[in-house]
Amino acid sequence: MNQNIESHLIENRVFKPAKSFAKRARISSPAEYEELYKASIRNPEKFWAGEAKELLWHKRWKTVLDWKPPFAKWFVGGTLNASENCLDRHLDSPRKNKAAIIWEGEPGDQRVLTYHQLHREVCRFSNVLKRNGLKKGDRVIVYMPLIPEAVIAMLACARIGAVHSVVFGGFSAEAIRDRVNDCGATMIITADGGYRRGAIIPLKQNVDHALQGGNAKSVGRVIVFRRAHNEIHIEEGRDVWWHREMEYVDANCPPEEFDSEHPLFILYTSGSTGKPKGILHTTGGYLTGVSATSKYIFDLRDDDIYWCTADVGWITGHSYLVYGPLANGATTVMYEGAPNWPEPDRFWKIIAQFGVTILYTAPTAIRAFIKWGNEYPARHDLSTLRLLGTVGEPINPEAWMWYHKVIGGGRCPIVDTWWQTETGAIMISPLPGATPCKPGTATRPFFGIDAVVVDEAGHECDVDEGGKLVIRKPWPSMLRTIYGDKERFKKQYWSDFKSQGWYTTGDGARRDKDGNFWIVGRIDDVLNVAGHRLGTSEIESALVSHEAVAEAAVVGRPDEIKGQAVVAFVTLKEGQEGSPTLRKALCSQISHAIGPIARPEEKDIRFAEALPKTRSGKIMRRLLKEIASGTEVRGDTTTLEDFSILTRLRHMDE
Ligand code: PRX
């Protein structure tokens, strides 16, 4: 790669964990991490078995790992119950009466469920599921707002061995239908509605549409929780009310034991092609992975108030709102609504009100907060925070610094956690008491994770040389397959380095001289401009470091001479206006931060009012690429946050 790029990519600011934090952390120095990491890579099975022992097993496993690439079985012969591990296990201790869930609804209603209460509700709802004919191995769609009942539904499924597939409440009827048909779900658990920016999302109505006209035939039962009190249709013989059903059951539901490899859940995620794929996770390995990472990476303590802002519809919600924290007996905060409702200070208000100590959120949210202005966090006391986390995309150093200074008051370590739906648990992240951080890098692999950056031939890349991020050894929380499609599973993740049995992440990355991993982004988002590889996120980072810029998305367009050219869609901060001078300045900024080869033509800086995003907050790059290339917008755009943005983007330069 071009020397110019390299020299500009190096981030030199290093933030060491504060001594006070390190002193009480589980891993408290870089040397301790190095030593344990090396040992864990020499013998991953030993490390993971040690972590698995912390869980409650009915039968101890006979073999830690049975690995026939690409198929893994972890803790073979062991039996356990995930719900028992998240609930019953804490009842014989002072945790019994501690808050398991602190919940805030968007309109301002609040609930606290202690471990005792959550256990009771889960047991009762498990009996409801059984009463309604659900059995071990059956698939259930959970389509709920972010309310405690979503967690209750998930844990009740786990308790009786049913396989949940949570569908994010922002997805459409068609998405529900596709998922039902793909996994053959026999039941849907939903609510009448949920709140978002003051409006009611008609969840039950979407379910009705998904099932209408004999579609999604496998579904025989719909259980409806009353949340929003909006008017809904109840289909006789198919739909039942949650609260009515709960009247018929008692709270006695002993946990059954399930094989370690019993499926726990299916979660659908988008690939670069085709329809979303059902990522299958199983019980023992998944729980080991999320429990261990929660403990070490979030440094969870009994007095923490931990808040992961993700929805349970995403893997982050599964692993770090539900299973990881509850397996550790933590107190977890849930908030139903939008971060800027009714005002852009809602998050900070919640933090102050509940005394949140750990906050785990996404860079996209952080960038929105920056845009809204510092006055909103300044209104509230954020001094309870002791640790911050990010996930989902590369965090640009400016956002990192803002998070560090404005939210963390300069005292909180930031764990930039890299992982995927497929990996189940965090794979690369600082350990907050041990790892020196540089803004923008997820730093080092977690124990037992053999992550490397390799070239096409599988040779490890040099320092600062970009390549494919691969995982060379299996890990317990890895996906087991794509539900119903083993061939796609093999092809998608295991065909690049088939003979070695390595997992391809689909991400590009580089390692710096200190061994830190810098995730460039999806390989499909890496541009090749005149033979030079450019990470779109690096260009975006350069752009947002300009004072006028709020957010930027960079994609490639075909170019006759260079192969590809850089196109930058840019939104500006309040009070800023797009102009030819600003275009020039931004081009220079890119040139300055990365190198002249990344410099776009001025016409390719395109000012936009907002960037098109999926409801999970990801920038829709495919769409931008098509707009940038001047081709028609095709395919499924139903996940757009705001349809009007599409039109505006297409016409903005006219
Ligand atoms: O490209 C990486 C990016 O998000 C992808 C995984 O997306 P998903 O399965 O939806 O899971 C998101 C939450 C775990 C990855 O392939 N990604 C995730 N975390 C980071 C990241 N990119 C850079 N830095 C991260 N910390």
Side-chain angles (χ1 to χ4, degrees):
M1 211 194 256
N2 182 298
Q3 278 307 309
N4 269 343
I5 306 181
E6 293 311 332
S7 58
H8 284 94
L9 283 173
I10 306 300
E11 168 67 60
N12 287 319
R13 289 170 290 194
V14 179
F15 295 82
K16 290 191 180 144
K19 283 212 176 72
S20 54
F21 194 102
K23 216 161 64 191
R24 30 173 283 178
R26 289 187 171 87
I27 309 294
S28 56
S29 72
E32 197 183 344
Y33 162 78
E34 292 302 344
E35 195 180 316
L36 281 168
Y37 179 71
K38 275 191 198 125
S40 76
I41 291 300
R42 269 196 306 273
N43 190 349
E45 292 170 40
K46 187 172 168 208
F47 170 75
W48 290 118
E51 292 305 316
K53 276 182 202 152
E54 307 249 316
L55 299 177
L56 180 65
W57 296 80
H58 283 248
K59 273 195 218 91
R60 187 54 76 80
W61 57 88
K62 293 201 174 73
T63 313
V64 176
L65 171 65
D66 171 359
W67 179 225
K68 296 190 181 69
F71 298 102
K73 289 184 184 155
W74 282 88
F75 310 115
V76 185
T79 62
L80 77 168
N81 183 299
S83 141
E84 183 182 24
N85 269 283
C86 291
L87 301 169
D88 310 45
R89 199 151 60 105
H90 309 306
L91 299 184
D92 280 339
S93 77
R95 283 181 184 157
K96 178 177 179 179
N97 294 319
K98 111 180 223 190
I101 296 177
I102 297 179
W103 174 80
E104 166 135 335
E106 193 185 79
D109 37 349
Q110 294 179 349
R111 276 165 69 195
V112 176
L113 280 105
T114 63
Y115 272 94
H116 171 78
Q117 291 170 316
L118 183 61
H119 172 256
R120 200 180 140 77
E121 291 302 292
V122 168
C123 286
R124 291 176 70 207
F125 195 64
S126 300
N127 286 333
V128 167
L129 295 179
K130 286 199 232 170
R131 211 181 103 78
N132 282 278
L134 206 67
K135 292 186 303 299
K136 174 181 169 185
D138 289 348
R139 277 84 57 213
V140 183
I141 299 285
V142 177
Y143 183 65
M144 299 279 273
L146 197 53
I147 56 177
E149 280 67 23
V151 180
I152 293 167
M154 290 163 77
L155 292 176
C157 288
R159 196 163 188 89
I160 68 164
V163 184
H164 58 72
S165 184
V166 184
V167 177
F168 175 56
F171 277 125
S172 64
E174 226 167 279
I176 302 171
R177 189 184 304 152
D178 285 348
R179 285 156 175 76
V180 166
N181 288 335
D182 189 76
C183 71
T186 52
M187 182 186 277
I188 297 181
I189 304 170
T190 189
D192 48 2
Y195 293 96
R196 188 82 184 166
R197 294 204 172 87
I200 291 175
I201 303 171
L203 297 170
K204 174 60 168 60
Q205 206 178 319
N206 292 345
V207 169
D208 290 343
H209 285 155
L211 301 183
Q212 90 192 356
N215 277 303
K217 276 202 269 303
S218 53
V219 174
R221 180 66 82 228
V222 178
I223 301 184
V224 190
F225 182 78
R226 184 178 273 163
R227 162 75 185 129
H229 295 265
N230 48 326
E231 213 168 288
I232 59 161
H233 163 74
I234 290 285
E235 178 92 16
E236 272 313 309
R238 186 193 71 187
D239 304 348
V240 293
W241 283 105
W242 176 301
H243 60 274
R244 287 270 159 74
E245 290 298 300
M246 288 288 249
E247 287 169 10
Y248 301 112
V249 294
D250 65 25
N252 182 28
C253 182
E256 281 176 60
E257 55 183 294
F258 300 110
D259 191 274
S260 175
E261 283 298 332
H262 183 67
L264 181 61
F265 66 86
I266 298 166
L267 187 60
Y268 285 84
T269 188
S270 309
S272 39
T273 55
K275 291 210 172 193
K277 24 186 196 183
I279 304 300
L280 181 79
H281 284 288
T282 59
T283 310
Y286 173 79
L287 213 57
T288 301
V290 297
S291 176
T293 47
S294 297
K295 180 179 72 179
Y296 288 109
I297 295 167
F298 296 115
D299 188 48
L300 283 177
R301 308 274 160 182
D302 261 320
D303 55 356
D304 273 318
I305 306 288
Y306 162 90
W307 183 18
C308 164
T309 67
D311 191 279
V312 287
W314 311 113
I315 191 68
T316 308
H318 282 61
S319 302
Y320 297 108
L321 193 156
V322 181
Y323 289 107
L326 296 179
N328 278 279
T331 295
T332 171
V333 174
M334 284 173 86
Y335 164 56
E336 181 187 19
N340 57 349
W341 190 267
E343 289 216 58
D345 69 340
R346 189 66 184 265
F347 269 30
W348 321 123
K349 208 172 171 174
I350 289 173
I351 288 173
Q353 197 175 21
F354 298 128
V356 171
T357 56
I358 303 172
L359 175 68
Y360 189 34
T361 194
T364 237
I366 297 169
R367 288 194 293 267
F369 295 136
I370 298 174
K371 182 177 171 185
W372 296 333
N374 290 5
E375 76 239 45
Y376 295 105
R379 281 185 194 168
H380 300 279
D381 176 8
L382 306 181
S383 64
T384 51
L385 287 171
R386 67 180 193 92
L387 175 61
L388 303 173
T390 74
V391 59
E393 51 186 317
I395 181 163
N396 47 296
E398 282 60 40
W400 196 101
M401 287 305 300
W402 184 88
Y403 199 31
H404 178 71
K405 279 195 199 142
V406 179
I407 304 306
R411 70 184 178 279
C412 305
I414 297 180
V415 289
D416 173 355
T417 63
W418 176 88
W419 58 297
Q420 309 175 299
T421 304
E422 292 87 341
T423 68
I426 296 169
M427 303 289 274
I428 302 179
S429 167
L431 294 179
T435 315
C437 292
K438 294 179 193 174
T441 167
T443 72
R444 307 292 303 277
F446 186 67
F447 303 128
I449 302 300
D450 188 13
V452 280
V453 179
V454 297
D455 63 18
E456 292 295 335
H459 299 125
E460 209 164 331
C461 292
D462 287 338
V463 167
D464 285 328
E465 189 192 344
K468 286 184 167 178
L469 178 62
V470 302
I471 315 293
R472 291 189 295 202
K473 289 189 171 72
W475 65 101
S477 63
M478 62 198 281
L479 77 166
R480 297 302 192 263
T481 190
I482 292 175
Y483 189 80
D485 201 344
K486 268 188 195 167
E487 290 312 310
R488 191 173 174 194
F489 167 69
K490 286 193 213 164
K491 186 161 173 277
Q492 181 88 41
Y493 303 108
W494 305 93
S495 58
D496 282 4
F497 304 103
K498 194 170 165 207
S499 58
Q500 298 96 320
W502 296 351
Y503 169 82
T504 311
T505 65
D507 275 352
R510 66 181 176 89
R511 284 188 94 168
D512 67 18
K513 63 177 176 22
D514 301 319
N516 293 310
F517 284 78
W518 294 77
I519 311 296
V520 183
R522 303 296 304 183
I523 284 173
D524 14 22
D525 292 332
V526 174
L527 309 181
N528 192 325
V529 179
H532 300 286
R533 231 185 213 218
L534 293 171
T536 51
S537 68
E538 292 160 3
I539 306 173
E540 288 160 9
S541 180
L543 286 164
V544 295
S545 67
H546 190 280
E547 59 191 18
V549 175
E551 205 170 15
V554 169
V555 295
R557 66 167 172 80
D559 183 279
E560 260 180 41
I561 312 286
K562 304 181 207 158
Q564 271 187 311
V566 173
V567 179
F569 292 88
V570 170
T571 66
L572 300 177
K573 289 192 182 141
E574 296 292 342
Q576 300 285 342
E577 247 184 55
S579 66
T581 321
L582 187 54
R583 274 206 176 90
K584 211 186 251 333
L586 294 180
C587 288
S588 304
Q589 177 92 10
I590 294 169
S591 193
H592 176 74
I594 301 170
I597 54 145
R599 186 187 178 109
E601 291 175 36
E602 276 168 37
K603 70 173 172 54
D604 284 329
I605 300 281
R606 297 174 64 163
F607 298 113
E609 257 181 76
L611 297 175
K613 288 187 186 162
T614 62
R615 293 199 181 145
S616 66
K618 285 212 159 108
I619 293 168
M620 299 185 83
R621 290 173 190 286
R622 179 181 57 79
L623 212 58
L624 287 179
K625 268 185 213 163
E626 287 175 1
I627 294 166
S629 311
T631 53
E632 258 321 287
V633 176
R634 291 181 308 270
D636 176 21
T637 55
T638 52
T639 53
L640 264 182
E641 179 79 52
D642 180 354
F643 288 104
S644 61
I645 288 168
L646 235 184
T647 334
R648 285 206 296 271
L649 276 169
R650 286 211 269 171
H651 298 118
M652 67 198 160
D653 281 343
E654 287 172 9

